């Protein structure tokens, strides 16, 4: 009968929709803008229960994260003490026993959050950490740690002033060029470099496409260099362990390893932009499976030829030699020696001892260079778990 056929078709359609969502995938990510509450799930990720486990409100100077204690939608409430915010592991600010929620309130720059500057936005990133304490029986484990990335996006706006521009003998554009500070940024890009990509879902064997750039609207033409980059488990370079990706004033030392394809990308899209790719890795023994990357960026005038202090050198495995992105080949010779400083500084400490003090320092009085942090970059928990099981086997 027509009615039966219609009911059967409707039932099949509903069943196909339900089956399309695997119930056990919890690759979560919370993202919000300054004007709304929102919960963003990655494709094919749905909580079992109807509530939203994590809600984020981005305010003018702080963010408010509300966490439901039934975090996994199983009816089993997590221990409040096992929840922290950010790499600094900030504790909750209040509880709501009636709704079984935990509330974290923190300034945008607090708890180890990282800010990313893009041409259109300011993006503040942090993490909600769930690290379950051992149960009464230390022999068995009933729950795994979890890391949920949280983002607040704020549109960038031009500075506005009601003060009149006072007459001066110098052209206004020249003064603006001299007074404006450069804006350095690092961005994680997709495979064809056409757009940014999320910081989650990476697997061992994937490639990180990183784009460094500097805003130079009112400046004379500038050429951008990545002086050094170091990976660590927290923002900045003070945490241990850490791993050098770029060192010695522009040598991509990660590409020297046998099992990597890390390299600078030629040609540059623009002189004020530099691209490089690195193979995904994780720190051994890190249950969170994340990394932060801190890079020291700097610029020189375009008409200044690259030299041993301002260069972008990749290791060519086929030729077993270092090659510059631009400039003469001899500027990369110091990469193999592991010392590209001037002769007067050649007696410095070894590279590992130089990271905290010399490589990464703020140059507040010099707008030609800056330290920029990207992260946290998160590995897929499933993939990491498979790797750990293989290692144990």
């Amino acid at each position: 009968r027509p009615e039966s056929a219609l009911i059967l078709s409707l039932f099949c359609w509903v069943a196909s929709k339900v089956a399309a969502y695997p119930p056990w995938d919890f690759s979560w990510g919370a993202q919000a803008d300054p004007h709304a509450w929102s919960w963003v799930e990655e494709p094919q990720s749905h909580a079992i229960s109807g509530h939203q486990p994590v809600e984020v409100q981005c305010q003018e100077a702080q963010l408010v994260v509300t966490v439901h204690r039934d975090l996994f939608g199983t009816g089993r409430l997590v221990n409040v003490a096992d929840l922290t915010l950010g790499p600094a592991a900030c504790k909750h600010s209040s509880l709501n026993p009636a709704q079984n929620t935990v509330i974290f309130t923190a300034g945008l720059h607090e708890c180890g959050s990282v800010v990313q500057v893009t041409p259109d936005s300011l993006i503040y990133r942090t993490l909600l950490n769930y690290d379950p304490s051992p149960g009464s029986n230390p022999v068995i484990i009933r729950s795994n740690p979890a890391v949920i990335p949280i983002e607040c996006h704020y549109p960038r706006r031009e500075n506005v002033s009601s003060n009149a521009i006072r007459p001066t003998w110098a052209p206004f554009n020249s003064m603006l060029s001299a007074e404006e500070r450069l804006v350095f940024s690092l961005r994680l890009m997709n495979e064809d470099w056409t757009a940014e990509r999320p910081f989650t879902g990476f697997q061992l064997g994937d490639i990180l496409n990183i784009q460094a750039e500097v805003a130079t609207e009112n400046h004379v033409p500038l050429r951008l260099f990545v002086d050094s980059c170091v990976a660590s488990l927290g923002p900045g370079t003070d945490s241990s362990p850490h791993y050098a990706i770029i060192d010695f004033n522009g040598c991509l030392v990660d590409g020297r390893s046998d099992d990597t394809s890390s390299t600078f990308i030629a040609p540059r899209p623009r002189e004020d932009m530099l691209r490089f790719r690195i193979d995904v890795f994780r720190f051994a023994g890190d249950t969170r499976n994340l990394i932060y990357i801190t890079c020291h960026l700097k610029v020189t005038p375009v008409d200044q030829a690259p030299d041993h202090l301002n260069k972008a050198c990749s290791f060519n495995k086929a030729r077993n030699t270092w090659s510059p992105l631009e400039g003469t080949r001899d500027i990369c010779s110091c990469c193999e020696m592991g010392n590209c400083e001037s002769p007067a500084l050649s007696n410095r400490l070894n590279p590992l001892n130089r990271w905290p003090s010399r490589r990464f320092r703020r140059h507040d009085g010099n707008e030609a260079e800056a330290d920029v942090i990207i992260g946290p970059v998160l590995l897929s928990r499933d993939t990491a778990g498979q790797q750990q099981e293989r290692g144990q086997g």
Side-chain angles (χ1 to χ4, degrees), residues 6-288:
L6 178 60
I7 294 173
L8 179 61
S9 299
L10 181 61
F11 175 79
C12 292
W13 180 82
V14 172
S16 66
K17 292 297 182 181
V18 172
Y21 301 113
W24 307 112
D25 187 359
F26 295 101
S27 302
W28 296 339
Q31 178 177 341
D33 59 42
H35 308 294
W37 292 72
S38 65
W39 165 259
V40 177
E41 296 172 330
E42 292 183 4
Q44 298 183 344
S45 298
H46 286 258
I48 298 174
S49 61
H51 73 267
Q52 295 181 348
V54 181
E55 295 178 338
V56 183
Q57 184 182 27
C58 298
Q59 300 176 354
E60 182 177 353
Q62 66 181 11
L63 58 88
V64 180
V65 181
T66 303
V67 186
H68 201 288
R69 290 184 60 196
D70 185 9
L71 185 62
F72 300 100
T74 61
R76 190 185 301 272
L77 304 184
V78 301
N79 189 346
V80 174
D82 295 339
L83 295 170
T84 58
L85 184 67
C90 292
K91 300 296 184 180
H92 63 277
S93 54
S94 62
L95 300 173
N96 188 331
Q99 298 183 4
N100 279 324
T101 57
V102 185
I103 296 141
F104 295 85
T105 303
L108 295 176
H109 292 280
E110 296 176 351
C111 300
S113 65
V114 172
V115 60
Q116 179 189 4
V117 181
T118 70
D120 302 318
S121 304
L122 292 175
I123 304 173
Y124 291 86
R125 289 190 170 94
T126 189
L127 301 169
L128 177 68
N129 305 297
Y130 171 61
D131 188 12
S133 53
S136 56
N137 189 338
V139 179
I140 61 175
I141 298 175
R142 298 191 183 274
S143 58
N144 289 320
V147 176
I148 301 173
I150 293 172
E151 297 181 2
C152 280
H153 291 236
Y154 294 85
R156 288 185 61 192
R157 294 182 174 86
E158 297 294 336
N159 292 331
V160 178
S161 173
S162 60
N163 297 328
I165 300 175
R166 291 177 294 180
T168 177
W169 64 270
F172 175 69
N173 286 340
S174 298
M175 290 192 62
L176 185 60
S177 176
E179 294 173 1
E180 183 190 26
R181 295 184 64 85
L182 297 174
V183 178
F184 294 88
S185 63
L186 286 175
R187 305 168 72 182
L188 197 58
M189 307 299 288
N190 60 10
E191 292 182 0
D192 58 5
W193 301 91
T194 57
E196 290 190 69
R197 66 145 294 165
F199 281 53
T200 58
F202 285 99
Q203 301 179 4
L204 296 179
D206 288 345
I207 299 294
L208 292 179
N209 290 331
I210 300 178
Q211 179 171 291
E213 53 190 307
V214 59
T216 59
E217 294 180 1
N218 300 296
H219 281 264
V220 296
L222 298 172
R223 181 181 291 123
L224 176 68
F225 293 99
V226 180
D227 194 62
S228 49
C229 283
V230 63
S232 57
L233 291 175
T237 59
D238 296 333
S239 62
S240 182
H242 53 249
Y243 173 72
I245 298 172
I246 299 175
D247 198 357
F248 313 122
N249 307 103
C251 305
L252 211 167
V253 293
D254 183 56
R256 192 68 173 84
S257 303
D258 294 335
D259 55 349
T260 66
S261 59
S262 304
T263 185
F264 286 106
I265 305 299
R268 294 174 182 258
R270 301 191 311 265
E271 294 292 345
D272 57 10
M273 182 182 293
L274 184 60
R275 292 171 172 172
F276 60 98
R277 67 184 184 200
I278 60 175
D279 295 76
V280 171
F281 63 89
R282 67 182 179 89
F283 286 98
D286 174 37
T287 58
R288 296 168 298 170

